[in-house]
Amino acid sequence: MRRSKVPDETTDQRLLDSRGSADWVHTDPWRVMRIQSEFVEGFGALAELGPAVSVFGSARTNEDDPTYDLGVRVGASLVEAGYAVITGGGPGAMEAANKGACEAGGTSVGLGIELPFETGLNPYVDLGVNFRYFFARKTMFVKYSQGFIVLPGGFGTLDELFEAITLVQTQKVTSFPIILMGTAYWQGLLDWLQSSALTAGTISAKDLALITLTDDVEEAVAAIVTSDRAQAPDAPEGSGTHAE
């Protein structure tokens, strides 16, 4: 910097001067540091996790809802197949999957998000990381998972579902099974995709084939294992390959 662009004070002065407004900690350059710290924390916490599967679903699912029992069974079956279970760490269907994993003796992971109405991580999370930013959190779901199992859910679940489909469709991740659990809940969405989006030519039949729809927990877990073996045929049973 030269002439009028030369500052009146040095960087050290600004760093060491405790006087003045603290508004600078809320500016975009400082937010970049916060974002960086979230990635560092997430990578550090999950680097040695091993093979894992992300399970998504509604935070509004009650314990007496059949979907809650389905989530428990999914979590337990994934652990029995050699996977850790990653959820958003919240209540409802997420809690159910964490509970199944925890009770089966596996690793139960919760990736929480700072929201005004969230109550914190559910009690079945063994390893938890809280995030301020959705995009940093989403990166962890994809980077450390061998696939997604999606239970009935709302906008947040749909967001995660379609982001996963987009990443596979655009080959941003390698083979990455996406399984919808609950035919009664999801069939209407798939029917719409076929009758409207596919008919209009905005998606292809190959795109629809990226999604597996089932009510069978064993079928869902088997799809994950089969994909894993295809990616690493010499790996021992239950081991996985990380999507990049």
Side-chain angles (χ1 to χ4, degrees), residues 103-154:
E103 292 181 343
T107 301
S108 176
V109 180
L111 305 181
I113 185 71
E114 182 185 82
L115 294 173
F117 46 81
E118 284 290 351
T119 57
L121 298 176
N122 69 66
Y124 300 102
V125 169
D126 298 321
L127 174 60
V129 183
N130 277 306
F131 294 86
R132 287 187 179 92
Y133 300 100
F134 270 113
F135 55 84
R137 178 181 185 238
K138 285 179 176 181
T139 298
M140 304 305 153
F141 280 127
V142 176
K143 180 171 177 59
Y144 294 103
S145 294
Q146 273 61 55
F148 284 174
I149 293 181
V150 187
L151 301 169

Side-chain angles (χ1 to χ4, degrees), residues 31 72 130 235-236 240 243:
R31 288 191 180 99
V72 172
N130 277 306

Side-chain angles (χ1 to χ4, degrees), residues 7 41 69 77 92 95 97 144 160 176:
E41 183 180 2
D69 177 66
S77 294
E95 176 184 294
Y144 294 103
E160 289 149 347
F176 195 86

